[in-house]
Amino acid sequence: MSRLECFDALRVLATTCGGLRAGERTLIVTDSAADQDIVAAMAAVLRTLGADVVTVGSAPAELPGDDPPAAVGAAMLEADLIVELTSVFIGSCQARRTACERGARYL
């Protein structure tokens, strides 16, 4: 996939799958083992679409579904859209469930 195709795919992910609208608070959750080029590309696409983007990172989760550090979980509660770009899937964690119960969308 070319770099241009990658950006187009990330745009579709954000708008079609994530329902992103300009001005929304968007949180990218990542970890130190994730591909930082993809994280940077996603952040650039989200900003181009008018999102207010914050990226938070931590060490990788030990097991899939582990809760992230408390500061990451707290940031999730403030986001309209959360984009998980981690090396170990945490999308089934309690922090994600709580954020989604409060109206956040999660990719």
Side-chain angles (χ1 to χ4, degrees), residues 1-99:
M1 179 179 285
S2 74
R3 191 170 181 89
L4 184 56
E5 290 171 323
C6 175
F7 281 108
D8 191 49
L10 293 174
R11 180 191 58 76
V12 170
L13 180 67
T15 58
T16 302
C17 300
L20 180 69
R21 294 177 296 276
E24 286 193 308
R25 299 166 298 172
T26 305
L27 180 69
I28 298 175
V29 177
T30 189
D31 63 42
S32 57
D35 184 330
Q36 295 306 304
D37 289 338
I38 293 173
V39 173
M42 179 55 105
V45 167
L46 293 168
R47 286 187 184 98
T48 298
L49 294 169
D52 178 17
V53 181
V54 172
T55 301
V56 295
S58 63
E62 287 188 33
L63 295 170
D66 279 355
D67 265 311
V72 176
M76 292 168 81
L77 296 176
E78 300 300 320
D80 298 306
L81 176 63
I82 303 162
V83 180
E84 179 188 341
L85 297 174
T86 58
S87 62
V88 178
F89 177 71
I90 63 167
S92 59
C93 70
Q94 184 59 51
R96 192 271 313 155
R97 289 193 303 271
T98 301

